[in-house]
């Protein structure tokens, strides 16, 4: 029921007259909050036990459709998330090649097909933890697949934000 509520809320907000774009997210950018994980390219060998992973920690966020449009983050390749389903990360894992269609898996190894992450799009680097941060690898997951019930609504309005408050 929570997934359906979040999906319907996003669609309703998107249809409102004073709202240009709306997205629902797990972590709000620039709030000093973050979630990280280690990932490998699918097919790469994991590090031996006790050895540090070959990649840095990857920052992650679960976001709804229209997230990049709502925050004005340019889509560089591929597509945005849809209801059906990173620039630095793409360069680090697949230098000089197209990241779209490539796959990642958790360092501990995929335990089932749901653990495999397929890249469907690449967006321009952005700031997420602080304004002064250096570009860092960042992985967005569709909120529909990485569901959490604790979410925040982000809204881009056509005029004064207060005009959208009744909606």
């Amino acid at each position: 029921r929570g997934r359906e509520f979040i999906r319907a809320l996003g669609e309703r907000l998107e249809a409102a007259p004073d709202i240009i774009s709306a997205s629902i997210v797990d972590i709000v950018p620039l709030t000093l909050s973050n979630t990280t994980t280690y990932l490998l390219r699918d097919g790469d060998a994991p590090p031996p036990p006790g050895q540090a992973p070959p990649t840095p920690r990857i920052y992650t966020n679960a976001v709804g459709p229209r997230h990049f449009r709502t925050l004005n983050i340019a889509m560089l390749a591929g597509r945005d998330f849809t209801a059906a389903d990173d620039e630095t990360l793409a360069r680090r894992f697949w230098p000089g090649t197209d990241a779209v269609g490539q796959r990642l898996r958790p360092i501990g190894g995929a335990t089932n097909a749901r653990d495999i992450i397929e890249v469907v799009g690449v967006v321009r680097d952005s700031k997420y933890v602080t304004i002064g941060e250096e570009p860092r690898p960042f992985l967005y997951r569709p909120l529909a697949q990485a569901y959490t019930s604790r979410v925040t609504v982000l809204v881009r309005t056509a005029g004064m934000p207060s005009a959208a408050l009744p909606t």
Side-chain angles (χ1 to χ4, degrees):
R1 290 186 351 199
R3 288 176 201 261
E4 178 56 27
F5 173 79
I6 288 171
R7 184 200 59 74
L9 175 62
E11 288 178 2
R12 185 171 173 205
L13 288 169
E14 188 74 13
D18 293 324
I19 295 176
I20 294 173
S21 184
S23 181
I24 299 172
V25 301
D26 176 21
I27 299 172
V28 177
L30 303 177
T31 58
L32 300 177
S33 298
N34 63 70
T35 301
T36 62
T37 189
Y38 287 108
L39 296 169
L40 290 172
R41 291 178 297 194
D42 195 30
D44 284 358
Q51 185 175 335
T55 60
R57 292 187 77 76
I58 308 296
Y59 285 74
T60 68
N61 196 1
V63 302
R66 302 169 299 279
H67 175 75
F68 308 113
R69 186 171 94 192
T70 301
L71 293 184
N72 203 24
I73 300 172
M75 181 69 60
L76 300 178
R79 63 170 177 81
D80 194 353
F81 297 130
T82 65
D85 13 62
D86 178 58
E87 187 179 12
T88 295
L89 183 135
R91 277 196 312 264
R92 184 156 303 163
F93 280 90
W94 303 283
T97 63
D98 187 3
V100 175
Q102 301 290 341
R103 295 164 38 146
L104 296 165
R105 61 183 169 79
I107 284 280
T111 57
N112 61 53
R114 291 183 55 91
D115 293 335
I116 300 294
I117 300 164
E118 182 174 339
V119 177
V120 299
V122 178
V123 298
R124 185 164 313 285
D125 287 338
S126 298
K127 307 294 184 181
Y128 286 92
V129 180
T130 68
I131 292 285
E133 72 190 46
E134 292 296 317
R136 61 184 78 214
F138 205 96
L139 173 74
Y140 296 95
R141 301 286 309 265
L143 191 57
Q145 294 176 14
Y147 175 74
T148 178
S149 61
R150 189 198 55 157
V151 295
T152 302
V153 175
L154 303 178
V155 176
R156 179 178 294 277
T157 62
M160 294 298 294
S162 58
L165 285 177
T167 301

